[in-house]
Amino acid sequence: MGMKVVALAGGIGAARFLGGLVRAVEPADLTVVANTADDIRLHGLHVSPDLDTITYTLGGGVNTEQGWGRADESLAVATELAERYGQPAWFTLGDRDIATHLLRTRVLAEGGTLTQATAEIAAAWRLPFRLLPMSDDLVTTRIVTADGRDLGFQQWWVGERAGPDVAEVRFAGAATATPAPGVLGAIAGADAVVLCPSNPVVSIGPILAVPGVEATLRHAPVVGISPIVGGKVVRGMADRLLPAAGSKVSAAAVAERYAGFLDAWVLDDVDAGEVAAVERLGVRAVTTDTIMRTPQVAAAVARTALDLLTLVVST
Ligand code: FO1
């Protein structure tokens, strides 16, 4: 039996990393737990961007330029909705992508769970690992803006292009949510839990906010890869959200957010100057090239992370 690995994942950054992780471990021994607090209901459909980004990327069907959505996409439905029916068009669903949302929404409407819908979609894409939503309950990231509005995450990020300053980030529904079946058991039984290089506030944050997850992580070997390189985000909006959540935009500051359960942390080579600060948190740190231009680089990052964690656990 190989090493049992659990990855906690957001969207694009996680998907790139997972493309490497599946080369570094036996995929059959891998469980990926994805954030679902970016989910949104649109035109009556349940859209799960992070689950879909992971599925399409690892299934070989992602739009590689965007990093999300389907390759070979068309917009006939979106155009008809906007132009004929005058429906809001700030969040675009492509035709092929809509097929995924139709299937998911139908499973849910028939009384199935998000876990069941996700398994059916993952099987169709022949994903070689187990993909779980963090919860079957509705947990929704809310962005309270400095000008006092309470926006859904996608409304702020896509609808307003992350323009408004952020006063507060909340996870509505998290306090009463239950982890999806298999999540806590996978973490408790893992030889390694890997925090993907995802947004610490709105990707990993909601997973940690589901009751029981953080407590279970405290007894598991946990390694993470910094999503912040040289004081900047590799992609996404963590630079806009970390200050609102009380953290600096640095690799060490992200490690500090996880310090209660983190055993090892992988930083980019450019952040070698932050290694000492991370180790003062009681977290073993190492640097490597973390800019995952190819799956080969991503696999090297994954091996570095797992090797460091193995070292920490054995000493
Ligand atoms: N991002 C955009 O900037 N504009 C869109 O219209 C948009 C649509 C969309 C549809 C399905 C999907 O899975 C993702 C989509 N995204 C879109 C990306 C998404 O908003 C974010 O990148 C993630 O939620 C953040 O991780």
Side-chain angles (χ1 to χ4, degrees), residues 38 47 49-50 68 90-93 97 153-154 157-158:
D38 292 4
V47 181
D50 286 353
W68 53 268
W90 60 274
F91 197 85
T92 308
L93 301 180
D97 192 32
F153 171 75
Q154 301 292 356
W157 167 240
V158 176

Side-chain angles (χ1 to χ4, degrees), residues 8 179 183-184 187 195 204-220 222 256-262:
L8 306 190
V183 168
L184 294 187
I187 294 171
L195 308 179
I204 306 295
I207 304 175
L208 301 176
V210 177
V213 171
E214 194 164 337
T216 308
L217 285 171
R218 285 175 193 271
H219 303 284
V222 182
E256 191 173 356
R257 296 180 65 85
Y258 300 144
F261 55 84
L262 190 66

Side-chain angles (χ1 to χ4, degrees), residues 17 19 56 73 83 97 100 108 142 152 179 187 208 212 228 240-241 277:
F17 172 74
Y56 298 159
E73 190 56 290
E83 294 183 1
D97 192 32
T100 307
L108 295 172
R142 305 296 306 181
I187 294 171
L208 301 176
I228 303 292
R240 305 275 291 129
L241 298 177

Side-chain angles (χ1 to χ4, degrees), residues 2-5 18-32 58 126-131:
M3 192 182 198
K4 288 206 218 78
V5 177
L18 292 171
L21 187 60
V22 294
R23 292 160 182 253
V25 303
E26 183 55 59
D29 294 327
L30 172 64
T31 299
V32 176
L58 277 294
R126 309 220 185 296
L127 297 189
F129 53 86
R130 181 164 63 141
L131 178 60

